[in-house]
Amino acid sequence: MGVGLRHEPAEAVLTRGLSGDEVGGTLCDTASVPPAPRPTLEDVAARAGVGRGTASRALSGSTGVRESTRTTVLAAARDLGYRPNAAARSLVTRRTGMVTLALWEPIDRMFADPFLAATVRGLGRVLRQHDHRLVLLPLEADDDPTDALDYLRDGHTDGVVVVSSHGPHDLGTALAGRDVPVVRIGRALHDDGLPWVDVDNLTGGRLAAEHLLDRGCRSPAHVTGALETHAGWVRRQGYRVALAAAAENVAPREVEGDFSWESGRAGALVIMSSWPDTDGIFAASDAAATGVLAALADLGVSVPGRVRVVGFDDSPLSWASSPRLSTIHQPIAELGERAGRRLLEVLGIAGVTTSGSDAAQLLPVRLVERAST
Amino acid sequence: MGVGLRHEPAEAVLTRGLSGDEVGGTLCDTASVPPAPRPTLEDVAARAGVGRGTASRALSGSTGVRESTRTTVLAAARDLGYRPNAAARSLVTRRTGMVTLALWEPIDRMFADPFLAATVRGLGRVLRQHDHRLVLLPLEADDDPTDALDYLRDGHTDGVVVVSSHGPHDLGTALAGRDVPVVRIGRALHDDGLPWVDVDNLTGGRLAAEHLLDRGCRSPAHVTGALETHAGWVRRQGYRVALAAAAENVAPREVEGDFSWESGRAGALVIMSSWPDTDGIFAASDAAATGVLAALADLGVSVPGRVRVVGFDDSPLSWASSPRLSTIHQPIAELGERAGRRLLEVLGIAGVTTSGSDAAQLLPVRLVERAST
DNA sequence: TTGAAAGCGCTAACAT
DNA sequence: ATGTTAGCGCTTTCAA
């Protein structure tokens, strides 16, 4: 603000030359055009010379309307520039055609999340196919979610997709049984009965560990993700499963992390000092794996020469790091699609069904081999 | 999909151990709880022993209700878990309390945009202060915007904020005069009368160029932004203004770019081969400036030794580059706030006014000096 | 200060 | 196949 005071808008002069006409956008175009009230269905019906009911049926593509009548009505609607009033319609249908993706995390992180874009794309595509629309509801993570919950419950939206949050707060739980259908992307640590879709983190963890073993690692270690998240917990399970199945039954070496770069770095330092003969590290996220790489570089440990490293996510980090990271790829866009489909199914949208089995909700992951292993 | 077929959900076994109870989220909790219809205002009124009108007044904090009555009604509402039906309310009030930030660009870019987070934060904060809520409407850039326009016009939202898009498509123009108030962040190249807020790009361009001159550059050059955008055009204007005002009246050296990294790189190559004595480069964005740095590094030209480089945006790129980039900082969050305030003003929200002058809508920028100059 | 009643614009059930 | 009518749940006159 202090800066603003001393600010001199030199631009005022020059832009006039650019824009030609008035600059700045008129606040009110008053006195130019009378408000021109939006035409209602009534108007359309009148112009088409039919009753309101017929007009409604014609416009909504409902059956039982003579073709010629429909044409007339459609023409009238077009001529008038008619658009149905969303509130009136949804008051009676109890539907809005909207689905909300609730984003409850720090806004900066939200827009730095490489998965969000893919999620939005997949989700949006499916919804569009079924004449629904996606909107995003950004919530500051530390905000009181009360009024956001109200928004979600008050009939603005037909359904909600929540991205399973890490931590104590959970929008999904808060919304469960609260007037509005919810589908979760990623599971809650403790199942609360909400429908969900998820990637197969267990197999992912197993694949990562097996890959290390295949590469000849005899003493692999794991920097876990946040263990209060389902993903973190289960990825570790997968790691354990693989080691337990290994011929020589190697003992798991584990350090608890939280998916962050810093936890990866710290974890690697702990691992290499506790178990100096460690020859492979599986980090529960690419961010953490990148931290592991940094730590190993600092220690002068060669990768993959002396220690092999595998991450999880196949995020942009994994190919920007050096050496480029072997990692577990997740089909995020498809996850979004599945979430959308599942929600539409819950909403009872015609033609949308998904197998109800767990397996169908669990999307496959795959190992991507790069230079770090 | 092919992968999915051969996918084996090993997890089914183990998660059962984790979650304890049933896994996967029940699709329907049928037969457990009868639908439990949401209480309406009628119900609240009945429980409070008053008429519907009184209940409405009490709940909406309207004056002319005996205090005891209000208390009773509020209690009844709380007991019933009453929430007003959004559709019914907005049908009569013609207001929704919602503002939409329309995002019409490739979704991947959208979520990589370092400014979007700040915009959302600033905008959301202001709206919240005035009991409005922000939702984001993501549109695939290549999508047909028709149905998105319909959404925006059909009464779902009280107002729209558009981030001035680069290119021929422009949501703002498409929405102008179309039933719904619009405020633009960043101006259109040719003023179309829509209200807008913007940063002072002219001064920004001037500051960047003056900074180069101050540093002793005698032969500065400019890689412009996309000249079909207002920002690109005006930043160049600022550059020209500074050079024209310089004592020795240096001739502007300009290469047209488009804000991208690649255009910065290509532009620098052209500049250094066309005018080898160039000793300063102003790039119209940090991304482009980073490209300039890359090109100069390839050419073995030292920065800032032989050529000084200044960018624009103060994005994360500017401090991640090497050398760290001198650049023009923009108050993005405040820009979002201003946009929100301006929109609320247009909506006639009590207590919100902004000076209508251009100057007030033009936010100051400032030079941030780092290592590249 | 409060109750009763009139819609907001639409869909759906009921007549015709 | 089409016109008429009854609401959806709320706010807002208009009386009382």
Side-chain angles (χ1 to χ4, degrees), chain A residues 11-284:
Chain A
E11 190 160 343
V13 187
L14 271 133
T15 44
R16 224 166 286 283
L18 166 62
S19 304
D21 37 32
E22 83 277 67
V23 177
T26 346
L27 189 50
C28 18
D29 300 338
T30 44
S32 49
V33 188
R38 259 177 95 129
T40 73
L41 185 58
E42 188 82 47
D43 300 326
V44 175
R47 183 174 232 266
V50 301
R52 212 174 41 218
T54 305
S56 173
R57 283 181 291 250
L59 288 168
S60 62
S62 144
T63 176
V65 180
R66 199 192 310 146
E67 201 46 50
S68 65
T69 309
R70 183 188 305 278
T71 311
T72 314
V73 172
L74 259 43
R78 190 171 24 71
D79 295 349
L80 264 39
Y82 169 77
R83 294 257 77 225
N85 177 305
R89 170 177 287 182
S90 100
L91 180 56
V92 43
T93 62
R94 292 153 178 299
R95 280 276 152 105
T96 63
M98 321 267 335
V99 166
T100 303
L101 176 62
L103 303 170
W104 194 10
E105 50 180 326
I107 288 182
D108 290 311
R109 179 138 61 79
M110 176 167 120
F111 284 100
D113 184 345
F115 291 162
L116 197 48
T119 304
V120 168
R121 202 173 328 102
L123 193 51
R125 186 186 317 144
V126 171
L127 294 176
R128 216 173 303 128
Q129 281 167 4
H130 295 274
D131 296 310
H132 281 240
R133 176 178 306 292
L134 176 67
V135 299
L136 275 41
L137 184 69
L139 313 179
E140 299 269 10
D142 48 341
D143 243 27
D144 178 10
T146 310
D147 60 332
L149 287 175
D150 289 347
Y151 165 80
L152 294 172
R153 294 184 50 207
D154 287 352
H156 290 284
T157 193
D158 292 347
V160 182
V161 175
V162 303
V163 178
S164 180
S165 63
H166 309 175
H169 305 302
D170 186 284
L171 261 190
T173 308
L175 281 167
R178 295 294 219 130
D179 309 312
V180 62
V182 179
V183 165
R184 212 192 270 285
I185 293 184
R187 279 161 286 181
L189 190 51
H190 299 287
D191 183 37
D192 52 8
L194 285 181
W196 52 261
V197 298
D198 201 358
V199 296
D200 189 348
N201 284 307
L202 184 73
T203 299
R206 185 167 57 71
L207 289 177
E210 285 174 356
H211 179 58
L212 291 176
L213 295 171
D214 286 351
R215 279 284 199 253
C217 296
R218 286 292 150 264
S219 308
H222 177 36
V223 182
T224 76
L227 293 179
E228 74 273 15
T229 67
H230 187 275
W233 203 93
V234 171
R235 286 173 192 181
R236 185 184 64 179
Q237 276 307 302
Y239 165 78
R240 288 180 176 177
V241 167
L243 293 219
E248 36 262 271
N249 220 342
V250 291
R253 299 170 172 186
E254 299 170 358
V255 172
E256 181 166 350
D258 61 5
F259 296 117
S260 71
W261 185 91
E262 189 46 56
S263 80
R265 184 182 155 79
L269 293 176
V270 170
I271 286 170
M272 296 313 291
S273 72
S274 305
W275 306 289
D277 62 327
T278 296
D279 53 7
I281 299 181
F282 162 40

Side-chain angles (χ1 to χ4, degrees), chain B residues 8 12 44 48 69 97-98 116 145 182 198 280:
Chain B
E8 141 197 87
V44 175
T69 309
M98 320 270 329
L116 197 49
V182 179
D198 201 358

